[in-house]
Amino acid sequence: MTGRDRIMAAFAGRPTDRVPIFEQTVFSDVASAAMGRQLDVGGGTLKYREACAWLDGDDAHAAFVEKMLEDVAWLYRRAGYDMIRMPWRETRRPSERLDEHTFLFGDRDRQWSVWRYSPEAANWHGIDNHLRDDGTDRLIAELRQQVRAYQGPTTPAEESLAEWDRLRELA
């Protein structure tokens, strides 16, 4: 059976030649240590590196995305996984780099958030945002506005679909 056959059979409750293998997230640091070279495949380190690439410009970000797609496809093939997934990423463009590991997203006068990378934990996490000033009153008003403006589910952006197509090519 191919990996696709195995996955489709498992979802349909049919027998397979072996248990399908899949991993939702492999942290870049773990994959890099196991495979002996730097891999951008997942976790907080991937999100941090993507934020850095965004600040280096569109060409640097495009190169980062291509390397990430190649790394993910290579790792999944090498590990013998039957299914591949796009890693969780930092697809927002930072507005500003506050220090080596800290980034501002958004507009300081409106909606903003600050995210920090912790190299020791390979974690990427929000540490502050615009709600600090006005608290839950502002949050409730924003949620009501978003609910009123909701137009139903949207399809992925063309760029995202192109990345999925590229990942399929590489896998």
Side-chain angles (χ1 to χ4, degrees), residues 1-24 76 80-85:
M1 297 182 93
T2 68
R4 180 178 177 78
D5 294 337
R6 235 175 254 116
I7 293 294
M8 298 305 288
F11 282 139
R14 294 190 316 264
T16 60
D17 61 340
R18 66 168 170 78
V19 174
I21 300 171
F22 169 71
E23 184 59 52
Q24 185 169 335
Y76 276 59
Y81 292 154
D82 293 301
M83 189 165 81
I84 193 167
R85 72 174 293 277

Side-chain angles (χ1 to χ4, degrees), residues 1 3 6 10 13 16 18 52 62 71-72 88 90 101 109 115 124 127-128 134 163 170:
M1 297 182 93
R6 235 175 254 116
T16 60
R18 66 168 170 78
C52 292
D71 287 353
V72 169
W88 289 315
E90 185 51 78
H101 297 114
D109 296 326
W115 286 72
W124 176 253
I127 60 169
D128 199 2
D134 299 322
E163 289 172 3
L170 294 166

Side-chain angles (χ1 to χ4, degrees), residues 13-76:
R14 294 190 316 264
T16 60
D17 61 340
R18 66 168 170 78
V19 174
I21 300 171
F22 169 71
E23 184 59 52
Q24 185 169 335
T25 299
V26 179
F27 274 59
S28 295
D29 306 65
V30 172
S32 297
M35 297 299 184
R37 68 178 180 96
Q38 182 183 317
L39 293 168
D40 292 320
V41 295
T45 303
L46 176 73
K47 294 175 183 181
Y48 167 71
R49 288 183 183 149
E50 185 154 14
C52 292
W54 271 121
L55 290 177
D56 289 338
D58 290 342
D59 290 345
H61 182 257
F64 171 85
V65 170
E66 179 64 17
K67 180 192 180 298
M68 181 266 308
L69 295 172
E70 290 172 358
D71 287 353
V72 169
W74 182 86
L75 176 66
Y76 276 59

Side-chain angles (χ1 to χ4, degrees), residues 86-129:
M86 187 72 72
W88 289 315
R89 299 169 43 208
E90 185 51 78
T91 57
R92 301 171 299 167
R93 183 187 295 257
S95 309
E96 186 180 336
R97 188 175 199 156
L98 304 177
D99 65 33
E100 182 180 0
H101 297 114
T102 311
F103 298 80
L104 172 73
F105 292 86
D107 180 349
R108 286 182 188 269
D109 296 326
R110 298 185 59 228
Q111 292 183 347
W112 56 270
S113 61
V114 175
W115 286 72
R116 179 172 295 148
Y117 172 64
S118 168
E120 302 80 21
N123 197 4
W124 176 253
H125 51 276
I127 60 169
D128 199 2
N129 64 51

